[in-house]
Amino acid sequence: MKQLLNLLLALAMVLTLSFCNKDDDPKPGDKDPTDTTDTTSNVVKLTPEQNKELLQTIGVQFVNEMSAMQQTEGIQALTSFGLLVDGEDDDEDPGVPNHLMKINKAIVAFAHGRISANQFGALPVALRTDDDDDDFESLQELFDEATGTYDWNAATEEFDYTDNSSDKIIFKYPTPETGTSNNTTLTFSNYSSVQVANPIDEEYTGDLPTSLDVELKLDGVTQVTYGFEVDYNSEGVPEKVETALFVNPFTLSVDLTNNKSKIGTGVDFSNGTKTLIATSVEFNGDFSDAAIEAAEEDEEKLKDVIHDANFSFTLLDLKMVADVDFANFYPKVYNLDTYYDDYDGNTDPKPDLEANAEKLEAALNNHVSLTTSYVSTGKIAAEVEWYTFVESEEYCCGTDYSIELGARMIFEDGSKVDLEDYLETGFGQLEGAINDLLDQISEDIGEDLEHIEF
């Protein structure tokens, strides 16, 4: 199963890196500039190289989008706030609760590609405990104690505090941080919480956050907003998390679901009205304690826990969809022997690995589907055909035999290309664009990031 996941992730990686922002996105009915097919036949068949060219163009342009996001006024203003607070004298507490600083840092980290959208979406859950703060009993206590307005004093290089609010924390400071005019206002408000059990830290008996709003204005114009809502069950486990981030003109929303019948996440990331990323991962089944305990005692009953799974990835004009009929797939493969070590003295019966490989291959092709297409035209980019083979490796004392898993991409012209071979060549331009972006991030954060290599 690990090989299956690795292959899915490999294809997802190429497609994830293959987002674009096209000024002239084709509309349904428009002629594809790479399409050389006779239009009178209304039959479109793109070759692997034509699809690869489109993928690379998509990837390079998406990298440019992410680079542009780093340079937005909102991100620059949040960076200035972090620099001012970090530069404060340790003896002078600026009154910024640590969980609020975590939000600020997480927004900047997402914009610089240092954390994923899903990691950012889980931020409200990560705020449930705050080990860096001493002598606090609840997050609500920390928020209430910090309410008021903090004005940056350029002469003293400190924040001047005014106790003028009971439900908001307001910071006024310069952008850039070296300025002398407090042209930026950062407001934290609408904090609410609930008293339930904390499954992460039993010693913490305080509240868990259920909502918070953040707004940043630069020269009177709203550049950043952030908010979240969290629903917990009686055991303190989040059942629903909704987060929304606006960094003018970019918008990110992340939803997390975790209940007895569904576990999933959804991400939507856009620049204005143009979708850059839209993903959805969903597992459906029976996730009750009884079903999970039964599966722990009898491995075959895992099919009663996970019924099916689906995955979609929309990357501007490219969409990937995967469906797994787990309830029918798992019983056919869970007890298949996929490995045998033939060494002197081994009396274990050798399994029929060739037959097992055929069974695994049939199960995959019957119950696990993966397709990529272009949103604007509906054209199929590629379908995936799974295959298996038995590989042997000799060592000092014998020979290892194992079932290996592979995948072929089937393109519109009927040609087939092994996924591994397809990924190894032809993405030099994309590789260079990503590495240029990594260099830019390295310069911004003062830390060298390693280059990628396809």
Side-chain angles (χ1 to χ4, degrees), residues 380-385 408-417:
I380 297 297
E383 294 180 343
V384 170
E385 174 185 72
R408 300 184 187 94
M409 302 179 75
I410 306 175
F411 294 93
E412 287 185 304
D413 66 347
S415 60
K416 298 181 180 182
V417 180

Side-chain angles (χ1 to χ4, degrees), residues 48 69 175 315:
M69 183 178 178
T175 298
L315 319 166

Side-chain angles (χ1 to χ4, degrees), residues 118-137:
N118 278 336
Q119 288 173 315
F120 181 82
L123 177 62
V125 179
L127 300 177
R128 291 189 291 174
T129 58
D130 204 324
D131 297 332
D132 294 334
D133 283 287
D134 296 328
D135 301 326
F136 83 98
E137 296 181 359

Side-chain angles (χ1 to χ4, degrees), residues 4-179:
L4 172 60
L5 290 175
N6 286 341
L7 276 170
L8 285 169
L9 290 173
L11 186 55
M13 178 193 70
V14 166
L15 299 179
T16 303
L17 294 174
S18 303
F19 323 132
C20 76
N21 174 27
K22 290 183 271 187
D23 293 333
D24 298 308
D25 281 339
K27 306 298 187 296
D30 288 353
K31 179 170 175 61
D32 188 328
T34 64
D35 179 12
T36 57
T37 306
D38 181 0
T39 56
T40 59
S41 67
N42 199 30
V43 176
V44 178
K45 295 182 180 181
L46 298 181
T47 67
E49 289 307 316
Q50 288 173 322
N51 277 286
K52 185 176 289 188
E53 181 179 349
L54 289 175
L55 291 178
Q56 179 159 244
T57 300
I58 287 171
V60 171
Q61 294 184 2
F62 177 78
V63 169
N64 292 336
E65 288 280 1
M66 292 303 297
S67 180
M69 183 178 178
Q70 297 178 47
Q71 306 305 318
T72 58
E73 292 182 318
I75 293 303
Q76 298 303 312
L78 288 174
T79 302
S80 294
F81 176 67
L83 292 172
L84 289 173
V85 172
D86 288 343
E88 283 274 88
D89 191 319
D90 291 339
D91 295 332
E92 296 290 337
D93 184 2
V96 188
N98 193 56
H99 57 296
L100 300 188
M101 279 303 300
K102 284 183 177 179
I103 293 172
N104 182 83
K105 291 178 179 179
I107 294 174
V108 176
F110 170 73
H112 284 73
R114 296 169 64 188
I115 62 174
S116 69
N118 278 336
Q119 288 173 315
F120 181 82
L123 177 62
V125 179
L127 300 177
R128 291 189 291 174
T129 58
D130 204 324
D131 297 332
D132 294 334
D133 283 287
D134 296 328
D135 301 326
F136 83 98
E137 296 181 359
S138 73
L139 295 173
Q140 183 74 61
E141 173 192 336
L142 290 176
F143 187 89
D144 291 343
E145 288 181 353
T147 54
T149 301
Y150 300 79
D151 289 281
W152 180 254
N153 188 322
T156 62
E157 296 186 346
E158 295 176 355
F159 282 104
D160 294 333
Y161 171 71
T162 303
D163 186 4
N164 60 359
S165 178
S166 61
D167 59 357
K168 295 181 180 179
I169 300 175
I170 304 169
F171 292 91
K172 297 182 178 181
Y173 61 93
T175 298
E177 73 280 2
T178 55

